Amino acid sequence: MPADLAVIGLGHHGLPLAQAATAAGIATVGFDTDPRPVAELAAGRPPVDGSLTASEIRRMLSGGFRATTSPVELGRVRTAVLCAPTPLGPDGALDLTAVGDAARALAARLRPHTTVLLESPVPPGTTEGLLRELLEDGSGLRAGRDFHLAYSPGRLDPGNRLPGPAGTPKVIGGLTPACTESAAAFYGRFTDKVVRARGPREAETVKLLETNFRHVNIALVNEMAVLCHELGVDLWDVIRCAETKPFGFQAFRPGPGVGGHGSPVERLGTHRPLRLVELAGQVNQRMPRYVVQRAAALLNEHGKSARGARILLLGITYKPDLADREGSPAEEIAGRLMDLGAAVSFHDPHVPDWRVRDLPVPRADSLYEAAAHADLTLLLQHHRVYDLQGLAVKAQLLLDTRGATPAGTAHRL
């Protein structure tokens, strides 16, 4: 049965989009060149990052969703959405290799009147530049005349079921007004509100601003965490009070580093670097080292050395209640502790096994027993299953990098 929509790229972004479309009754096919996720989805198994559950995958399949590695399917749809990954390259700029590969696969089978949408994070100008060129050269069709082309920044919050796709406005910037309206008609089928940008470049820059806004503000509060520790000030109480201000302030909280798939974009091709974002990146990248320094100092204050110390890491994923470890600072923290000679173990209800530097890290089965045995318990991620008040009683020393423990029950970052 021909599909109405093709989602190209079944990663952390494409799969939730396919889920939302399928739930709205849109006949959807998911295309990926990697056979592994396709086979897992076809068998009804959820992705390893935990972004969707097995029951959600089963509902997608029962709703008609199909996953495939056959590019032939791309020539049978009215709408195609590119959700290819764009990781940071060595120069700090986004790597568009996967976007180019996805565009070429689609272009070879692109039909007139198809609406093509890009949701991957890209530098401003990519949609009307690289993507348009690849699609036109590969298909012989002209964007804005023979097919519609638009950009819409992805706005996912993994693990957060609210507001969900329907309650999250979609920003759209089309190559032409007709392209924008075609994209709006598509997204309007499962989104309550569509926001029309002036064009693709403006829509692309929305994603840039949103991602960098998060990283810059996390860097600010991480700097405040270091300062407040030096001053003997309770930062968490400062934040609690500051967030009562009804205007001009949004609360961010410090942590052991910044993880996730939305990397800060410091450089846009040959354009000048975003200096504030570069500085924010340096601050956030310093946090794992700072956490290790705090851990070593805390052990020393209690007459223990990091060398030979038993250190238990709690929560090694980048976000609470998810299995996704993308960009998690836990790996760097574990490695630095190992360099100091510590014996590192971990507990995470979402991660059955873990390797750091190709070495297996012992997993604690009994949480309270492990915390009581460890010289230092280091909370890196606050999963809901953790009874932190109980852990604070059991642990010999507890360093909380998330400010999740009740005041006065643990040492906080």
Side-chain angles (χ1 to χ4, degrees):
M1 177 181 176
D4 188 16
L5 165 68
V7 176
I8 304 175
L10 295 176
H12 72 281
H13 182 71
L15 193 56
L17 172 64
Q19 179 199 24
T22 302
I26 301 172
T28 303
V29 61
F31 171 80
D32 204 301
T33 56
D34 186 346
R36 290 173 296 179
V38 171
E40 291 291 297
L41 291 170
R45 289 188 287 268
V48 295
D49 63 11
S51 55
L52 295 182
T53 65
S55 61
E56 288 172 326
I57 295 297
R58 288 194 295 270
R59 282 196 294 272
M60 289 177 65
L61 295 174
S62 64
F65 172 76
R66 293 180 292 113
T68 182
T69 58
S70 173
V72 174
E73 299 278 1
L74 303 180
R76 301 172 179 171
V77 297
R78 291 191 298 176
T79 305
V81 184
L82 280 66
C83 298
T86 54
L88 287 182
D91 60 350
L94 293 169
D95 183 350
L96 303 182
T97 301
V99 170
D101 292 342
R104 293 183 187 92
L106 176 61
R109 294 157 184 86
L110 188 61
R111 298 188 306 171
H113 311 300
T114 302
T115 298
V116 180
L117 304 165
L118 176 61
E119 288 206 5
S120 305
V122 294
T126 300
T127 302
E128 56 186 328
L130 173 68
L131 181 58
R132 177 181 183 176
E133 179 181 337
L134 291 174
L135 293 174
E136 290 183 342
D137 289 349
S139 68
L141 303 176
R142 183 177 174 183
R145 185 191 68 186
D146 303 317
F147 67 93
H148 297 298
L149 180 61
Y151 182 83
S152 180
R155 282 178 160 177
L156 292 176
D157 188 9
N160 186 1
R161 302 300 179 184
L162 297 175
T168 304
K170 286 295 291 181
V171 173
I172 298 166
L175 189 65
T176 67
C179 291
T180 298
E181 293 311 311
S182 179
F186 165 70
Y187 285 115
R189 297 172 70 178
F190 58 92
T191 303
D192 293 339
K193 183 177 182 180
V194 171
V195 180
R196 292 162 175 80
R198 187 182 295 270
R201 288 175 181 261
E202 285 75 16
E204 291 163 336
T205 308
V206 168
K207 181 64 176 178
L208 177 72
L209 177 59
E210 290 176 349
T211 300
N212 286 341
F213 174 86
R214 171 176 173 259
H215 283 267
V216 167
N217 279 280
I218 290 175
L220 172 61
V221 78
N222 280 337
E223 282 272 76
M224 290 295 297
V226 176
L227 174 65
C228 285
H229 175 69
E230 294 173 353
L231 296 176
V233 172
D234 185 345
L235 172 65
W236 307 96
D237 191 56
V238 172
I239 295 172
R240 179 184 66 82
C241 295
E243 65 183 345
T244 61
K245 185 180 179 182
F247 55 90
F249 181 81
Q250 180 177 347
F252 284 78
R253 288 167 174 80
V258 180
H261 300 269
S263 301
V265 182
E266 301 173 4
R267 294 180 180 273
L268 303 174
T270 58
H271 298 288
R272 70 173 182 86
L274 298 172
R275 290 177 292 175
L276 184 59
V277 179
E278 280 188 317
L279 181 58
Q282 293 169 14
V283 170
N284 291 330
Q285 290 164 16
R286 187 184 65 194
M287 290 307 292
R289 183 169 65 252
Y290 176 70
V291 168
V292 171
Q293 291 170 351
R294 286 286 306 276
L298 188 58
L299 284 167
N300 188 60
E301 290 170 11
H302 288 78
K304 298 178 181 179
S305 168
R307 179 170 297 279
R310 299 180 297 267
I311 299 181
L312 173 66
L313 305 183
L314 296 187
I316 61 171
T317 61
Y318 91 88
K319 198 170 184 182
D321 306 315
L322 285 183
D324 197 344
R325 303 201 308 273
E326 178 69 26
S328 170
E331 184 167 349
E332 182 180 348
I333 290 171
R336 289 182 176 275
L337 289 170
M338 291 174 182
D339 290 340
L340 293 178
V344 178
S345 61
F346 85 99
H347 180 278
D348 194 303
H350 304 282
V351 182
D353 55 79
W354 187 35
R355 299 181 71 87
V356 174
R357 299 175 179 174
D358 291 328
L359 297 174
V361 180
R363 186 180 191 274
D365 294 322
S366 175
L367 177 55
Y368 290 125
E369 183 179 332
H373 182 68
D375 296 305
L376 172 66
T377 299
L378 186 53
L379 178 68
L380 300 181
Q381 192 55 264
H382 181 205
H383 296 306
R384 275 182 300 210
V385 299
Y386 289 152
D387 173 13
L388 297 183
Q389 196 159 11
L391 278 170
V393 172
K394 292 288 185 179
Q396 296 185 41
L397 281 175
L398 177 59
L399 177 56
D400 174 7
T401 69
R402 297 289 180 177
T405 51
T409 61
H411 300 271
R412 289 179 170 185
L413 187 64

